[in-house]
Amino acid sequence: MAVYDQGYRPYSGPLTPEWTRFLVLPRYAARSVLRSRLFAGFLAALGMFTLFCCLAIYGAHNLPQIPGLELPIDLGAALDENFGALYLRVFLFLESILGGFMIAIVVGPGLLSADLANGALPLYLSRPISRAEYVLGKAAVLAGLLSLVTFLPGLLLFGLEAYYAGWDWMARHGRLALGITAGSLVWIAVLTLFSLAVSALVRWRSLGRAALFGLFVLPGGFGAAIDGLFGTSWGGLLSPTKVITRVWVHLFDPALEPNRLSVPAAWASLAAMLALALLVLRRKLRAYEVVR
């Protein structure tokens, strides 16, 4: 058939609802991320650690029920009393903070840099998708992975402990569920927006990973130097790790003070950091770029 005989016929099939169109981005991005066997193995290892914690809770409450087994202490009662402290010291640090940070380092810097380096952004934005939906779609990839190692397993452990310890325990420790959920969401927002901002600024993935690592480490040293020189604690507001630690621990227990930062100042610093990350994304993500 000659070319001039072929007419244009618009697509007449069912259309995807507008509010779900951004989900196309995380679907393909997640497929690309999980293609790495090493990364998939790392996620599986984190899942095994959650399973180990579940078995530890199950064993603490059921081992004393075995006839003839005499234990020196009541493991179930000891776990009921120290669940919050153990969660803060073990699971929260190893899986939510360390594991989540490693996921952000591996996945985050490559989410936007490839599109920007290859000039693919106009192709995305020429379709019925806005800049906000583009960012939301890319953020959903990292946020979804981080959810698997933060509040989802945390609430699973809390629910399992509440099942064995009873309603009274859950009523007395309800703030732990708030801390697990709200603190994890704040941590996910910080890691996701920081990763996307770095990915938009640095188009080389390896350099972006180094930049993201430095973003969480270097301001802490600079802030410590300010505190040492001027005898104050305001330098800690420059450190994302100190700020997020103050906010997260306060959500668990207002009486705990991991550092000398005030809670309102920590929240204000955190809001300023997130706003700066959004400003970077707004400036760097454009369908066209003027070269002077």
Side-chain angles (χ1 to χ4, degrees), residues 32-85:
S32 175
V33 168
L34 296 177
R35 192 177 299 159
S36 168
R37 294 182 179 179
L38 184 61
F39 183 73
F42 177 67
L43 285 180
L46 294 178
M48 292 298 293
F49 180 66
T50 302
L51 179 61
F52 170 78
C53 293
C54 290
L55 292 175
I57 294 174
Y58 175 83
H61 288 279
N62 288 276
L63 285 178
Q65 310 302 324
I66 298 178
L69 182 61
E70 296 184 0
L71 299 174
I73 59 173
D74 187 344
L75 293 178
L79 182 61
D80 293 349
E81 184 178 351
N82 300 294
F83 179 84

Side-chain angles (χ1 to χ4, degrees), residues 97-145:
I97 295 179
L98 191 59
F101 184 67
M102 291 301 296
I103 290 175
I105 286 286
V106 173
V107 177
L111 286 175
L112 302 180
S113 59
D115 293 343
L116 293 173
N118 295 289
L121 198 58
L123 298 178
Y124 284 104
L125 300 183
S126 63
R127 288 164 172 76
I129 183 172
S130 66
R131 281 195 298 173
E133 289 172 328
Y134 173 78
V135 173
L136 187 61
K138 293 292 185 176
V141 181
L142 188 52
L145 292 172

Side-chain angles (χ1 to χ4, degrees), residues 233 241-247 256-262 266:
S233 62
T241 54
K242 283 191 175 181
V243 169
I244 189 65
T245 300
R246 186 70 186 96
V247 168
L256 297 177
E257 294 184 359
N259 50 54
R260 294 186 298 166
L261 296 180
S262 72

Side-chain angles (χ1 to χ4, degrees), residues 149-168:
V149 300
T150 52
F151 70 91
L152 290 179
L155 291 178
L156 173 63
L157 297 180
F158 179 84
L160 187 61
E161 172 62 21
Y163 172 77
Y164 286 113
W167 170 254
D168 291 339

